[in-house]
Amino acid sequence: MKWVYTQGMADRIHTRFLDRTTPPHIFTLVLMAGMSAMSMSIFLPSLPAMTREFGTDYAVMQLSVSVYLGCTALLQVMIGPLSDRFGRRSVTLVSLVVFVLATAGCYFSTSVEMFLAFRMLQATIAVGMVLSRAIVRDMYGQEESASMIGYVTMGMSIVPMIAPSIGGALDTAFGWRATFVFLMLFGSAMALLCWADQGETAKTQGVTFRQQVTEYPELFKSPRFWGYAFAAAFSSGTFFAFLGGAPYVATEVFNQPVAMTGFFLGVPALGYALGNFLSGRYSVRYGIDRMIVAGSIVQVVGLGLSLVVSYLGFGSAWMFFGFVTFVGLGNGLVLPNANAGLLSVRPHLAGTASGIGGAIMIGGGALLAALAGAMLEGGDGSFPLQWIMFVSAIMGGLAILYVLRRTRQLSRS
């Protein structure tokens, strides 16, 4: 049985929960995106303890963030085309099975090398991040998809808010391995949910890889695609740098216990939830470009103030993590709209565009996370991390200004 929709007409799209003949329910899309976010952040409060247990350096243990992000970036290049070829549903289910098996490997790891190997396999959960956006774009037009992506990511923003706290509590009560038991159970439940609810939405299913490759230049030659992709990459880069360096800053610079570190790592999600709500509410009214500009300004101003306050000698854990809420708010405004923009440049290549755009975003984040982890051990407090985040926010603002300039040029021609 096929489902019927009219692109850009939200009232024509009907979904039924746990019905595989209709598109996935928004609840399922929220959890798909949330699963990716959870795997990325839930174990962060345990990094110092894991460093000690495996007898390694923090910079090596931090590779579980940066290498994971790098693998996620590579996988996103493949996930998009694979889902365009074989469908969103089958790619999602296979990836979830691999994730559960890889998580079991993390639990049983006896060395840092073994852990990092299975951690790289865990990156298959990136399918949720990529395909939740692509599925929305399958169903809606540009402005409507920005709004819906905003609502999806607003709903899943509670995950990075509570995941580090869950990880910190599990670590405190049972040790760091309990976190991966939790992920195995969550991943298994997610696989069952997607099997029962996720109807196929890919409109290009059955197209050969050769046919897709011949269409890539059409996407790559679009300056607007690259502008949106880099706006998303640099904006999210502030958050990925935070992921790479914040556990060290919390425990080593501000001497916070594991449970409190988990709480602080969830603080950016407060701003992220608000930003995504605003995107869902106002993207259709004001347009995606204005929302991205607003988000970039929020990030630059917030991180700039954080640096000023720190240099004035008022640095503290509450101050540092409090200002990071501006990063979450800015990302909530930028990412749904930038992703909708890059997916809308060539709608028939939505899966491919989502994968490539995500690869640029996550790949850049991996580099920034690794850079943050390496620079912080130099002993200059939180300043290296703050500067990395601030510069990344500025670059994101320049990228959207380029998009605006290109849009004006096209309107004149």
Side-chain angles (χ1 to χ4, degrees), residues 293-332:
V293 169
S296 297
I297 291 172
V298 166
Q299 281 196 320
V300 171
V301 171
L303 291 170
L305 288 173
S306 176
L307 276 167
V308 170
V309 171
S310 294
Y311 277 114
L312 290 176
F314 298 105
S316 68
W318 287 97
M319 184 283 302
F320 174 83
F321 288 99
F323 274 111
V324 176
T325 57
F326 286 92
V327 171
L329 176 58
N331 271 303

Side-chain angles (χ1 to χ4, degrees), residues 50 54 97-122 176-177 180-181 183-184:
M50 294 169 71
F54 286 132
V97 171
V98 173
F99 170 78
V100 171
L101 295 175
T103 303
C106 289
Y107 173 83
F108 289 109
S109 293
T110 56
S111 67
V112 67
E113 294 82 8
M114 183 178 177
F115 176 81
L116 289 176
F118 282 112
R119 176 65 177 159
M120 286 187 281
L121 285 176
Q122 270 195 312
W176 65 265
R177 294 181 193 272
F180 292 91
V181 174
L183 283 176
M184 277 189 281

Side-chain angles (χ1 to χ4, degrees), residues 6 33 70 88 97 122 153 162 166 169 222 239 260 312 356 411:
T6 300
R88 318 294 191 216
V97 171
Q122 270 195 312
T153 48
I162 66 173
I166 293 173
S222 171
F239 178 68
M260 201 63 189
L312 290 176
I356 294 172
S411 66

Side-chain angles (χ1 to χ4, degrees), residues 31 36 47 51 62 64 198 202 204 216 220 238 271-272 293 352 366 379 401:
L31 290 181
S36 298
L47 280 181
T51 301
Q62 190 272 341
S64 60
Q198 186 182 349
T204 55
Y216 284 2
F220 296 157
T238 58
Y272 192 55
V293 169
T352 301
L401 290 179

Side-chain angles (χ1 to χ4, degrees), residues 259-273:
M260 201 63 189
T261 297
F263 167 78
F264 280 130
L265 289 173
V267 166
L270 294 171
Y272 192 55

Side-chain angles (χ1 to χ4, degrees), residues 47 51 57-67 243-245 366 369-370 372-374:
L47 280 181
T51 301
D57 298 325
Y58 180 81
V60 174
M61 201 67 239
Q62 190 272 341
L63 292 175
S64 60
V65 177
S66 56
V67 172
L243 289 182

